[in-house]
Amino acid sequence: MWVQAACAAVQELRLTRWQSCPKSKEAGPELVLCPDNVHLAGRGGLDTVVCGTESLWGAEGGLCRQVSEDWPPDFAGLLVVHKHHPARDGREYLEVMSACHQRAADALVSGAISNGGLYVKLGQGLCSFNHLLPPEYIRTLRVLEDKALMRGFQEVDELFLEDFQAPPHELFQEFDYQPIAAASLAQVHRAKLHDGTAVAVKVQYIDLRDRFDGDIHTLELLLQLVELMHPSFGFSWVLQDLKGTLAQELDFENEGRNAERCARELRHFRYIVVPRVHWGVSSKRVLTAEFCEGCKVNDMEAIRTMGLAVQDVAEKLIQAFAEQIFYTGFIHSDPHPGNVLVRKGPDGRAQLVLLDHGLYQFLDEKDRSALCQLWRAIILRDDMAMKAHAAALGVRDYFLFSEVLMQRPVRLGQLWRSHLLSREEAAYMQDMARGHFEDIMAVLKALPRPMLLVLRNINTVRAINTALGTPVDRYFLMAKSAVRAWSRLASAAYQSVYGTSLLRHVRATWEMFKFEVALRLETLSMRLTAFLVRILVPLGLLPKAEGLYEYLET
């Protein structure tokens, strides 16, 4: 009876954390102090009750069963209630939670497909958080990348009559009414021009423009209601800032111009393919472009079936988008796997086909220069430089911003020893997202508004690299691109101000050289460490830690 009374008392009291018990640190429970000397330890159902130094109930199962003379005198006579949920560590609990996540993910997909438009785009954005969301969400939401709700042929004919005063079969030699893909704003049909050229015809959903303003207002209202109930969850400002940019996606002529600019600026990357736009059969709601075969960039099986290297694909993907972020400043802001295809090029190596150029963001040269130098400083753990370049972007909490930017822990004074995110680091990032939500929101609000979509690009590419098994070191590859871009930007600025000053060129080249040397020395250090560990562990001269070889994969 007294055990039940103690439990009832504990539940009724407002509990405060107590961290000074030595046993709590050893056993690992959460310990709280109650006003009338009742202690609750652990998380979950009642397992052990201990009074003073004597175990009174449930001793065989509890983490606190060995309470002895180690307790400080002040703890004498206290009642300790240890609660434990063994099921939380067991298969049954994990199965129940997995089923719960799956139901929620199915509901999200169903709602997004039913409502279409912006709701599908929001679901696509969630897919890039594969290091924070449970796997059930990621697997389920991927269907939104290219298999949203499809519309019938009558709607397609109606739109063509409105825009071209002619049905599709008059404009094309062949037109397949069965869509090959359907996404947030449009569906894609395969067709042939009258000269036999194979094309992909992107047809906007006919009611999308009429619904766009209503969808924006609905989302604003929902976000305001959520913010009213949870003041720290303030995302309505993000929608306010981005709705103008999102509206540009509805103009397919603008998308065609973006595609042509992207092709020009990345033409030195021979492996980048941007389908050529056919303006004669394009309008603000219809975009006709060269048809390109290929598999989705995260389809490892299809990539290997073509005889291509996953590592080559990942490296090219990262380099291409790093060029946009750090150098050109004209950045594809929706590079999810449905918008990046892989095919075999004439040289037998991977080519990347970039699709859907509706959502772009421009980052000005000042911000690009600061971002280039910040990325370099993070990799080299240059504390002062990190602070200075984050401040140039308007952010005071440079440490937190660096972690948001890199999407992994940034421990000052310590270089990463692997490009893989360890379990501990993944857990840290999840805890950081929960525990520092308000601080993260403050950092995002302080940034130049174009940086929001830049962060979307960076995180989406990170998610694709993870889906491919993290075959390359994204952090160092992007750092090298950042330093190279900074040296080119600096050289151009020096040339315009000082003419062809040899001294200025030498300085930019010297900075690039220093960074390359620092990276190579760090890489050499990691390889030597891995080599020594692989020799010493089999000889028994070094204990083999769990996950050691995964940690040293680089």
Side-chain angles (χ1 to χ4, degrees), residues 326 363-399 401-402 405 443 446-448 451 482-483 486 490 494 507 511 515:
F326 296 125
L363 193 63
D364 66 37
E365 186 174 322
K366 180 177 73 70
D367 292 336
R368 293 202 307 275
S369 179
L371 187 60
C372 286
Q373 295 177 82
L374 175 61
W375 200 287
R376 171 188 180 275
I378 294 171
I379 294 296
L380 296 180
R381 294 302 188 275
D382 186 340
D383 189 9
M384 294 303 296
M386 287 167 62
K387 186 174 183 179
H389 300 308
L393 289 167
V395 178
R396 296 180 61 186
D397 192 343
Y398 67 94
F399 185 83
F401 175 49
S402 298
L405 182 65
V443 166
L447 286 170
M451 277 295 299
V483 174
W486 176 80
Y494 293 147
R507 181 189 170 192
E511 290 295 328
F515 182 70

Side-chain angles (χ1 to χ4, degrees), residues 267-471:
R267 63 182 178 273
H268 54 289
F269 290 141
R270 300 292 182 88
Y271 54 82
I272 292 295
V273 177
V274 178
R276 184 169 68 88
V277 177
H278 293 272
W279 290 106
V281 277
S282 295
S283 69
K284 287 189 176 295
R285 295 189 295 176
V286 176
L287 184 66
T288 302
E290 169 192 5
F291 186 87
C292 295
E293 296 276 5
C295 69
K296 291 169 67 171
V297 70
N298 62 348
D299 190 342
M300 292 176 63
E301 184 177 350
I303 290 170
R304 287 172 175 153
T305 300
M306 287 188 283
L308 302 175
V310 173
Q311 180 177 347
D312 183 49
V313 171
E315 187 171 330
K316 288 174 175 175
L317 176 79
I318 292 165
Q319 287 176 339
F321 287 120
E323 178 79 358
Q324 289 188 331
I325 291 168
F326 296 125
Y327 184 63
T328 71
F330 190 61
I331 303 160
H332 194 311
S333 301
D334 197 17
H336 66 74
N339 288 339
V340 184
L341 304 182
V342 178
R343 72 182 190 184
K344 182 179 283 190
D347 61 354
R349 302 185 66 191
Q351 285 186 332
L352 301 183
V353 182
L354 304 187
L355 307 175
D356 194 351
H357 299 269
L359 187 60
Y360 266 71
Q361 186 61 268
F362 183 75
L363 193 63
D364 66 37
E365 186 174 322
K366 180 177 73 70
D367 292 336
R368 293 202 307 275
S369 179
L371 187 60
C372 286
Q373 295 177 82
L374 175 61
W375 200 287
R376 171 188 180 275
I378 294 171
I379 294 296
L380 296 180
R381 294 302 188 275
D382 186 340
D383 189 9
M384 294 303 296
M386 287 167 62
K387 186 174 183 179
H389 300 308
L393 289 167
V395 178
R396 296 180 61 186
D397 192 343
Y398 67 94
F399 185 83
L400 181 60
F401 175 49
S402 298
E403 294 192 326
V404 171
L405 182 65
M406 308 300 277
Q407 283 297 297
R408 75 177 297 174
V410 175
R411 294 183 291 273
L412 297 179
Q414 179 184 357
L415 289 166
W416 293 316
R417 284 166 172 75
S418 172
H419 63 270
L420 299 171
L421 197 66
S422 67
R423 292 191 194 94
E424 292 77 12
E425 289 177 319
Y428 172 91
M429 292 305 296
Q430 291 169 357
D431 290 340
M432 189 265 285
R434 286 192 295 263
H436 298 277
F437 187 80
E438 292 185 26
D439 296 330
I440 293 171
M441 293 300 291
V443 166
L444 295 178
K445 284 184 179 180
L447 286 170
R449 288 297 172 261
M451 277 295 299
L452 296 177
L453 289 178
V454 173
L455 290 174
R456 174 186 169 97
N457 176 292
I458 291 172
N459 193 48
T460 304
V461 172
R462 179 210 56 76
I464 294 172
N465 189 45
T466 301
L468 292 175
T470 321

Side-chain angles (χ1 to χ4, degrees), residues 252-271:
F252 285 0
E253 290 178 348
N254 180 66
E255 178 176 343
R257 291 189 293 270
N258 288 345
E260 291 182 338
R261 179 173 174 178
C262 173
R264 286 195 306 272
E265 294 182 342
L266 297 182
R267 63 182 178 273
H268 54 289
F269 290 141
R270 300 292 182 88
Y271 54 82

Side-chain angles (χ1 to χ4, degrees), residues 1-8 10 37-41 45-67 71 77-84:
M1 292 295 294
W2 63 266
V3 171
Q4 295 174 348
C7 293
V10 166
N37 291 340
V38 176
H39 283 69
L40 175 66
L46 186 64
D47 192 325
T48 304
V49 177
V50 182
C51 184
T53 60
E54 180 183 1
S55 178
L56 298 176
W57 182 78
E60 59 277 352
L63 293 174
C64 291
R65 63 179 180 227
Q66 299 297 331
V67 181
W71 284 75
L78 295 184
L79 175 66
V80 177
V81 182
H82 174 225
K83 299 180 75 183
H84 182 52

Side-chain angles (χ1 to χ4, degrees), residues 82 124 129 134 137 182 292 424 426 476 489 496 508 539:
H82 174 225
Q124 292 171 347
F129 292 94
Y137 288 90
C292 295
E424 292 77 12
F476 281 4
L489 291 171
S496 63
L539 295 175

Side-chain angles (χ1 to χ4, degrees), residues 212-248:
F212 182 79
D213 289 338
D215 286 348
I216 287 286
H217 290 315
T218 301
L219 288 171
E220 285 177 336
L221 178 61
L222 290 173
L223 289 171
Q224 288 167 3
L225 289 173
V226 171
E227 195 170 342
L228 189 65
M229 294 183 286
H230 303 281
S232 63
F233 194 84
F235 273 108
S236 56
W237 64 272
V238 177
L239 192 60
Q240 285 286 340
D241 287 338
L242 294 183
K243 63 182 178 182
T245 305
L246 291 172
Q248 293 178 13

